Amino acid sequence: MLKHIVLVSTYNHEKHIDEALTSIINQTQKPYKIIISDDFSSDKTYRKILSYKKANPTLFKIYRSKTNKGAFENIDFIRKYRGEGDIFSFCSGDDLLDLTCLENINNGFIL
């Protein structure tokens, strides 16, 4: 089985993070890991992310910047974890994935 990791970059996505993470968790082919980097959100985004980690401790890896560094630095930080898996998908904390997204991506790879 391929280790498919979903990298999620967040900043003040309080209104959308629940839907975004639910769309990842409910995939027809489950992700190996969900790695989230929060760019020091000033709303409740980080708190909501922690509740998902508490419910699924082995599925989530959570990182939080100590200051707001901006989108590009947050993405650059999270991409460094690409060595932990076989396939990577990147999304933002306000993106929704189609339920078969990871399955369709995985089916495009032959090992």
Side-chain angles (χ1 to χ4, degrees):
M1 182 106 185
L2 293 170
K3 293 180 181 178
H4 196 138
I5 295 177
V6 180
L7 306 172
V8 184
S9 173
T10 65
Y11 177 70
N12 287 350
H13 289 128
E14 174 184 3
K15 293 179 182 175
H16 306 287
I17 193 68
D18 289 319
E19 283 183 297
L21 294 179
T22 299
S23 78
I24 298 168
I25 293 169
N26 290 337
Q27 289 291 300
T28 54
Q29 274 192 356
K30 304 300 180 202
Y32 172 71
K33 195 76 73 185
I34 300 169
I35 302 175
I36 303 174
S37 178
D38 181 69
D39 194 22
F40 202 66
S41 292
S42 59
D43 62 4
K44 295 178 184 169
T45 301
Y46 186 66
R47 205 171 315 152
K48 287 185 173 194
I49 292 168
L50 290 177
S51 70
Y52 282 87
K53 165 103 174 142
K54 185 176 181 181
N56 302 280
T58 59
L59 181 60
F60 285 90
K61 274 191 171 179
I62 312 298
Y63 299 93
R64 187 175 198 207
S65 299
K66 293 180 181 176
T67 61
N68 180 265
K69 298 182 185 256
F72 292 112
E73 280 195 42
N74 196 30
I75 292 166
D76 188 49
F77 172 81
I78 201 170
R79 74 168 181 79
K80 294 175 184 173
Y81 295 93
R82 65 181 185 263
E84 298 179 12
D86 301 314
I87 301 174
F88 299 86
S89 295
F90 177 82
C91 61
S92 184
D94 59 355
D95 292 342
L96 298 179
L97 299 184
D98 181 83
L99 290 177
T100 59
C101 180
L102 299 185
E103 179 179 359
N104 292 335
I105 292 169
N106 292 347
N107 287 340
F109 289 85
I110 301 173
L111 296 178

